[in-house]
């Protein structure tokens, strides 16, 4: 009987050991993935939560083309768009150089997304934000900017050469803020009793536009179009993330351009890693970048035919398309360009909503038009990446408004991808 007892003891010991090991393994595997035990999952504040967005497979377009079409989900950034990266980079570089100081005001002229991002992250750096926005931009964008605490100044849309273009006004506001800060500093040295206080800041009662001038410690013009911090945000962030998330296995990248920072930063980084990666522009109506890339001349069809109006209806895709070459766009490495239409962008947005559950903004939809075009050009078996810039939440009053679309003959009617010819 002794051998039986010994064997039983051995079996019992082995069983207990295996149970203990299984419990330890299960506990370790599960607790190691809990947020409070995984330092990698903790991020320090809203700024640290920006970037490292998911790269997802857009199933419907991938299956329709035989390619792997991937979208970088920039709409999952805290401020809701790809411009969060730019806002952080611009502010951090300005603070580092001393051009902006805590308590100062960041000014920008923006059609919406960059303004929202600056307004979102500026408080995290102890700064304020003043935005000049064209009054034809989707109303919900201005509402969001105001809701997060920034000052919004709405102006009529005019040419960039006009002194009252929203970008030029934003530049002046920064100069005015700096002039006021200098005057306050000088006045405080002479007589500190001649100034009142408002919102914790001293202001000159004789100045007009008191809402804006209540900001203190000077101003800084973000200048997203020409400030190369925009390019660096994508060259140092978005591009490397795409490379890592694809393990370097991609054939092409495509995106539209407004300031040009995204397409320039990502294309330059990817082609430095692998010169065989093709990078393309998708350009909306009214923009001259398609012709700049393909023919070396900046013009639009309307300008070539002498029919361009002073303030034409060019496109309903906000934030992309431009008729000048910015410093950011100059750094882009592009192999070609495609034209996209408003109708294609509208139809694409509805197609992706029905088939993939993706509720995308106008520029994101145009980027997907570009991805489809690239896939058809390269043929099946290729991997193509694009940017899903923002969601449809800030495009409800125009891009997703049936009355507005009907006015311009853009009511979506397609059942499938027949609109992509």
């Amino acid at each position: 009987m002794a051998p039986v007892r010994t064997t039983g003891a051995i079996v019992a010991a082995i069983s207990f050991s295996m149970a203990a090991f299984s419990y330890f393994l299960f506990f370790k595997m599960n607790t190691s993935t809990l947020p409070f035990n995984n330092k990698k999952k903790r991020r320090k504040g809203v700024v640290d939560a920006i970037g490292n967005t998911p790269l997802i497979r857009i199933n419907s377009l991938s299956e329709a083309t035989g390619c792997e079409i991937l979208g970088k989900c920039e709409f999952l950034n805290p401020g809701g768009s790809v411009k969060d990266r730019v806002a952080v980079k611009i502010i951090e570089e300005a603070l580092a150089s001393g051009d902006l100081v805590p308590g100062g005001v960041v000014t920008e002229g923006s059609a919406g997304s960059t303004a929202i991002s600056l307004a979102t992250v500026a408080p995290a750096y102890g700064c304020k934000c003043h935005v000049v926005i064209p009054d034809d931009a989707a109303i919900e964008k201005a509402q969001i900017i105001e809701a997060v605490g920034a000052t919004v100044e709405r102006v009529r849309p005019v040419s960039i050469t006009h002194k009252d273009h929203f970008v030029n006004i934003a530049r002046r506001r920064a100069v005015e803020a700096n002039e006021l800060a200098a005057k306050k500093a000088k006045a405080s040295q002479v007589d500190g009793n001649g100034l009142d206080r408002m919102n914790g800041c001293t202001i000159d009662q004789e100045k007009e536009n008191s809402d804006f001038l209540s900001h203190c410690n000077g101003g800084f013009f973000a200048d997203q179009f020409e400030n190369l911090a925009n390019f660096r945000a994508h060259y140092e962030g978005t591009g490397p993330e795409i490379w890592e998330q694809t393990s370097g296995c991609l054939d092409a990248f495509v995106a539209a351009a407004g300031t040009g920072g995204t397409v320039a930063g990502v294309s330059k980084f990817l082609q430095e890693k692998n010169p065989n990666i093709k990078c393309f522009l998708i350009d909306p109506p009214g923009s001259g970048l398609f012709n700049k890339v393909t023919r070396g001349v900046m013009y639009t069809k309307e300008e070539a035919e002498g029919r361009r109006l002073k303030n034409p209806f060019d496109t309903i895709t906000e934030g992309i398309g431009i008729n000048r070459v910015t410093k950011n766009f100059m750094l882009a490495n592009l192999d070609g360009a495609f034209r996209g239409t408003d109708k294609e962008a509208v139809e694409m947005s509805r197609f992706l909503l029905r088939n993939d559950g993706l509720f995308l903004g106008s520029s994101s939809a145009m980027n997907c038009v570009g991805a489809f075009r690239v896939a058809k050009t390269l043929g099946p078996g290729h991997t193509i990446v694009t940017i899903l810039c923002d969601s449809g939440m800030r495009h409800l009053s125009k891009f997703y408004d049936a009355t507005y679309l009907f006015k311009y003959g853009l009511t979506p009617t397609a059942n499938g991808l027949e609109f992509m010819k």
Side-chain angles (χ1 to χ4, degrees):
M1 296 297 295
V4 173
R5 286 198 298 269
T6 301
T7 301
I10 292 172
V11 171
I14 292 173
S15 299
F16 177 81
S17 298
M18 291 182 66
F21 176 75
S22 298
Y23 174 80
F24 172 79
L25 184 61
F26 174 83
F27 180 81
K28 186 69 175 177
M29 289 177 63
N30 281 273
T31 57
S32 65
T33 61
L34 294 176
F36 52 81
N37 281 327
N38 191 340
K39 292 183 179 180
K40 291 183 179 180
K41 287 189 175 293
R42 292 195 211 122
R43 300 193 186 185
K44 297 180 180 179
V46 68
V47 172
D48 204 33
I50 293 170
N52 293 309
T53 54
L55 184 68
I56 66 168
R57 182 180 190 264
I58 303 178
N59 293 329
S60 64
L61 298 184
S62 298
E63 291 160 7
T65 61
C67 290
E68 287 295 293
I69 296 182
L70 311 177
K72 190 91 164 97
C73 297
E74 292 300 293
F75 58 82
L76 294 177
N77 280 310
S81 84
V82 66
K83 295 297 186 179
D84 281 15
R85 299 174 183 268
V86 178
V88 166
K89 194 66 173 174
I90 285 176
I91 291 177
E92 287 186 347
E93 288 193 6
L95 288 169
S97 67
D99 291 334
L100 175 67
V101 297
V105 56
V106 180
T107 73
E108 183 59 296
S110 169
S113 289
T114 302
I116 293 171
S117 294
L118 285 169
T120 300
V121 304
Y125 294 96
C127 298
K128 300 181 180 180
C129 185
H130 180 94
V131 175
V132 185
I133 188 169
D135 60 14
D136 62 345
I139 187 62
E140 55 268 32
K141 292 185 178 182
Q143 292 171 333
I144 294 171
I145 297 166
E146 289 179 326
V148 297
T151 303
V152 176
E153 184 176 352
R154 297 178 183 85
V155 299
R156 64 189 180 92
V158 294
S159 167
I160 185 65
T161 59
H162 196 288
K163 68 181 182 65
D164 290 331
H165 185 274
F166 60 93
V167 170
N168 296 330
I169 293 176
R171 182 183 289 105
R172 288 205 302 274
R173 294 293 177 256
V175 172
E176 291 167 6
N178 283 324
E179 289 175 348
L180 179 59
K183 184 174 181 179
K184 288 188 297 182
K186 183 177 180 180
S188 66
Q189 295 175 357
V190 177
D191 181 6
N193 297 322
L195 300 172
D196 291 331
R197 284 194 167 268
M198 181 176 182
N199 293 336
C201 308
T202 59
I203 64 168
D204 187 340
Q205 293 291 321
E206 295 180 356
K207 285 284 186 180
E208 296 180 356
N209 199 354
S210 60
D211 286 341
F212 167 67
L213 293 175
S214 66
H215 298 312
C216 59
N217 288 353
F220 173 76
F221 176 48
D223 198 12
Q224 60 169 324
F225 288 89
E226 308 301 333
N227 189 336
L228 293 183
N230 184 345
F231 163 81
R232 287 187 285 272
H234 300 292
Y235 179 80
E236 299 172 7
T238 318
E241 287 176 27
I242 290 172
W243 178 259
E244 181 179 354
Q245 288 170 320
T246 59
S247 299
C249 297
L250 72 157
D251 299 291
F253 170 77
V254 60
T259 65
T262 305
V263 73
V266 173
S267 66
K268 190 170 182 64
F269 178 85
L270 291 178
Q271 292 197 338
E272 285 180 0
K273 299 296 288 187
N274 181 357
N276 293 321
I277 296 174
K278 303 297 183 183
C279 295
F280 299 95
L281 172 78
I282 177 71
D283 210 29
S287 175
L289 294 179
F290 171 83
N291 286 309
K292 181 63 177 177
V293 173
T294 59
R295 302 181 185 180
V297 180
M298 173 68 78
Y299 72 94
T300 66
K301 180 180 179 182
E302 291 81 5
E303 290 170 326
E305 297 177 355
R307 295 190 293 104
R308 183 171 174 83
L309 303 176
K310 184 177 181 181
N311 294 301
F313 168 75
D314 289 332
T315 179
I316 62 167
T317 55
E318 294 183 350
I320 56 174
I322 193 171
N323 279 304
R324 69 182 191 277
V325 178
T326 67
K327 290 182 180 178
N328 284 287
F329 188 80
M330 287 179 186
L331 298 175
N333 290 340
L334 296 174
D335 296 282
F338 297 89
R339 274 286 192 199
T341 68
D342 283 338
K343 181 67 170 176
E344 289 169 340
V346 171
E347 293 283 13
M348 179 63 77
S349 69
R350 274 54 173 190
F351 176 83
L352 294 173
L353 186 57
R354 289 193 305 269
N355 292 278
D356 299 88
L358 286 170
F359 182 43
L360 301 177
S362 57
S363 56
S364 302
M366 186 64 82
N367 283 349
C368 290
V369 168
F372 186 92
R373 289 267 170 80
V374 173
K376 286 297 186 180
T377 300
L378 297 183
H382 293 88
T383 298
I384 298 141
V385 175
T386 193
I387 303 292
L388 305 182
C389 312
D390 65 1
S391 77
M393 292 301 293
R394 58 185 64 171
H395 298 265
L396 298 177
S397 65
K398 293 180 69 176
F399 194 67
Y400 281 95
D401 183 77
T403 302
Y404 183 87
L405 294 179
F406 178 79
K407 178 181 177 182
Y408 291 104
L410 297 173
T411 301
T413 57
N415 293 316
L417 285 166
E418 63 268 23
F419 60 91
M420 291 296 300
K421 297 178 181 179

